[in-house]
Every structure is written in C-alpha cells, then in structure tokens.
Amino acid sequence: MKTRLSEDGTKLIATYELHPFDFDRSGKLPLWKVMQMVTVSYERLILTLASRLPPIKEREAYGVTRCAAIDFSPKFDASVSPDTCTELLVTAKHSYIGKTSWGFAGEGYIKDPSTPPVFKWYSQAVSVSVKTGLPTPLPDWILPKHMIGARSSSHSRMVQPFTKPVPSTAFKTTLVAVRSDTDRLLHVHNAQYLRYCLDHAAQGATTSAYATFKGDLGSYKLKKVAALFQGQAREGDSLDVFSWEEEMETNILKFQIKKGEERIFQCTVEFYVDSGEQKLQSML
C-alpha cells in the first residue's frame, strides 16, 4: 500500500495493489477485504495528520471504530476482477467531528480518482479513555480544528442497533476466534466479523436456511453493507453467528454475532434485485 495526501492536505489517497490471491474462487474481491482497506485508510489518515503535531507525552485516549458502511456500484464486480483490476484507490477524509466521536468518508476507484467510484463508504470512531475505557471528549491533540475544515456535529448516516431481537427461526452457527483473526490490540479485527458472517451465510445458502438465497452465495451481487461494532472478542472466544431474511425486503440479510448473551457485532447486507422478476443476481 502507498499513501499520499491531497494537495489541500485534508484527504488521504491510498493505493492498494491487487493480486490473483486477493480474489475468491468466484473471481470477486471479498467484502471483508474491502472493509479492511477502508479501515486501514482512515487509520492511516489519522496517523499521517497526527504526525504533523508535536510529540504527545502521555496518551489519554484512543479511537475505536463504532460503525462502518459501504455502498457498492452495480459495476463493482465487473470492474474489480483479477483480469481487469490491478490497483484499487481508496480515499479517506474527515466528515464531521463531535464531542466524543468523529466521522470519516471516502470512495473507491479503479486506478484514477477522476473516474466514477466503484464504492462509497463512511465510518464513525469513538474516543475512549485509556484509564476508564469509556467514551471521553476528543482531546485537541487527536483532531485539531485545522485538520477538519468545517466543524460539524451532523452524523445522520451512522448505523443504529437492531430494534428487534434475533428471531427464533434464525440460522445459527458457532465458531472459535483464532490468533490470525486478531489485531495488534489482541481483539478480533473489525473486518473478520464480516468474514464470519459471509462464511456463515454461504453455509446457510447451501443448506436451505433461507427462502431467497440458495446455492452459491458468490452468485449474488452485493449492493450495500452496514456494520455496527458492539463489543470485543479475543482469541479463543466462542462466538454464535445468527442470520435471517428481512420479511418485507427479500434482498436483505441481517446478522448478529454474540459471545454468550453479549452482542459483539451486527450487520445488514443488501443485494441488487432484478425488479422485473424480483430475482436476486450475483454477489461478493
């Protein structure tokens, strides 16, 4: 990965080289890898801008991702393939700053940022106190005003918790988090939760767990994902993964990951629909 700042210094542009081994067996770039690129991009933006500041004697807080969402172009699968795409550019900028949280947004491009994006994304992070582990006001040394441009408290696109419990009819599998799933803080990395969900759904699709999604999940075309990070899991934790279809919108799958009764992660995955036959087509 190579990174650079835009001329005005407010946007990071990250270039990721893509290789054949980055794609799954259906020739598509997995969703969890896209989420990983997004996460790394805005983390690198923070580090790059913070490096311009005087050294910090004592770290008072750190950032924790609360939620993230990605909207995919209908042309994503055709544009991002092992035969046609060797580079993916991901931009990242600050979208708002609040009292204890701040937002990020960006796009994904095939080589050239002047072309239409193949996906758009946004995310929210929360400032957490090193001492208490609770949300704390953003210190000036994390996000000085000159880093943001316009200061705002608007974050209407943030992902909200599910309002209903997991249905009793939900498809369920159980897994154990392993060392390779964890990050430098020894927590399961955000992107791995998406991998858990999609591997789980792939199993459900082949075992008739869903009314709409059947067979190879890789044949369905991804439209949107909205993820909420609710807790933390570590190596060795046993996690239950639940999924179910949305009653009124058959192109949607919902997921909930739990550690015992504790909610760890939730996400909603939406697929493109052929409105003529109300039939789903390709994904992932």
Side-chain angles (χ1 to χ4, degrees):
M1 179 186 70
K2 298 179 180 179
T3 62
R4 60 184 174 87
L5 286 178
S6 58
E7 292 184 2
D8 61 6
T10 62
K11 180 187 295 185
L12 180 120
I13 303 172
T15 302
Y16 295 90
E17 290 187 4
L18 298 179
H19 304 276
F21 53 75
D22 289 315
F23 296 83
D24 64 20
R25 66 186 186 187
S26 61
K28 298 181 180 181
L29 190 65
L31 172 58
W32 67 270
K33 285 195 174 183
V34 179
M35 181 64 76
Q36 198 169 44
M37 292 177 184
V38 165
T39 302
V40 171
S41 296
Y42 67 75
E43 287 178 347
R44 186 59 60 89
L45 171 66
I46 296 172
L47 293 174
T48 301
L49 296 178
S51 67
R52 298 177 171 185
L53 304 175
I56 305 303
K57 293 182 180 180
E58 183 178 359
R59 187 175 184 180
E60 301 172 353
Y62 58 94
V64 174
T65 302
R66 180 180 183 273
C67 64
I70 306 173
D71 297 343
F72 291 90
S73 161
K75 298 180 180 180
F76 179 81
D77 287 343
S79 301
V80 184
S81 74
D83 297 326
T84 61
C85 182
T86 58
E87 284 187 353
L88 194 62
L89 272 62
V90 180
T91 65
K93 65 180 181 181
H94 294 104
S95 59
Y96 86 92
I97 179 170
K99 293 182 178 179
T100 63
S101 66
W102 68 110
F104 306 88
E107 297 85 27
Y109 300 91
I110 306 299
K111 294 186 179 181
D112 186 358
S114 66
T115 60
V118 291
F119 66 83
K120 296 181 179 180
W121 65 270
Y122 62 92
S123 181
Q124 180 193 41
V126 177
S127 175
V128 176
S129 169
V130 170
K131 294 182 179 180
T132 67
L134 299 174
T136 186
L138 292 170
D140 290 339
W141 62 263
I142 291 184
L143 291 174
K145 292 181 181 179
H146 73 269
M147 289 185 180
I148 305 300
R151 192 176 179 89
S152 170
S153 60
S154 174
H155 52 282
S156 59
R157 294 196 70 191
M158 294 304 105
V159 181
Q160 301 301 321
F162 292 151
T163 57
K164 296 180 181 180
V166 175
S168 59
T169 55
F171 177 56
K172 175 185 176 183
T173 59
T174 301
L175 60 89
V176 176
V178 298
R179 178 184 175 86
S180 59
D181 296 337
T182 58
D183 56 23
R184 62 181 180 277
L185 296 177
L186 305 183
H187 301 141
V188 172
H189 190 276
N190 294 343
Q192 297 302 322
Y193 292 116
L194 280 176
R195 182 174 64 83
Y196 294 164
C197 289
L198 293 176
D199 285 349
H200 158 97
Q203 181 180 343
T206 58
T207 56
S208 301
Y210 312 120
T212 301
F213 301 91
K214 297 181 180 296
D216 182 9
L217 194 64
S219 66
Y220 293 90
K221 190 174 182 180
L222 188 64
K223 181 177 182 180
K224 181 184 300 184
V225 60
L228 180 65
F229 305 97
Q230 300 168 297
Q232 298 173 346
R234 294 175 178 267
E235 178 185 358
D237 285 345
S238 178
L239 303 175
D240 294 322
V241 185
F242 302 88
S243 65
W244 62 98
E245 292 168 292
E246 188 68 17
E247 291 183 3
M248 302 303 293
E249 298 177 277
T250 56
N251 62 320
I252 290 178
L253 276 177
K254 288 188 173 181
F255 299 86
Q256 178 74 66
I257 296 181
K258 291 186 175 182
K259 183 173 63 176
E261 292 301 314
E262 180 186 0
R263 295 188 178 193
I264 299 296
F265 174 82
Q266 73 166 55
C267 74
T268 300
V269 179
E270 182 176 352
F271 303 86
Y272 280 102
V273 172
D274 183 332
S275 58
E277 300 179 358
Q278 289 297 298
K279 184 178 180 181
L280 295 169
Q281 11 172 20
S282 86
M283 168 199 152
L284 224 104

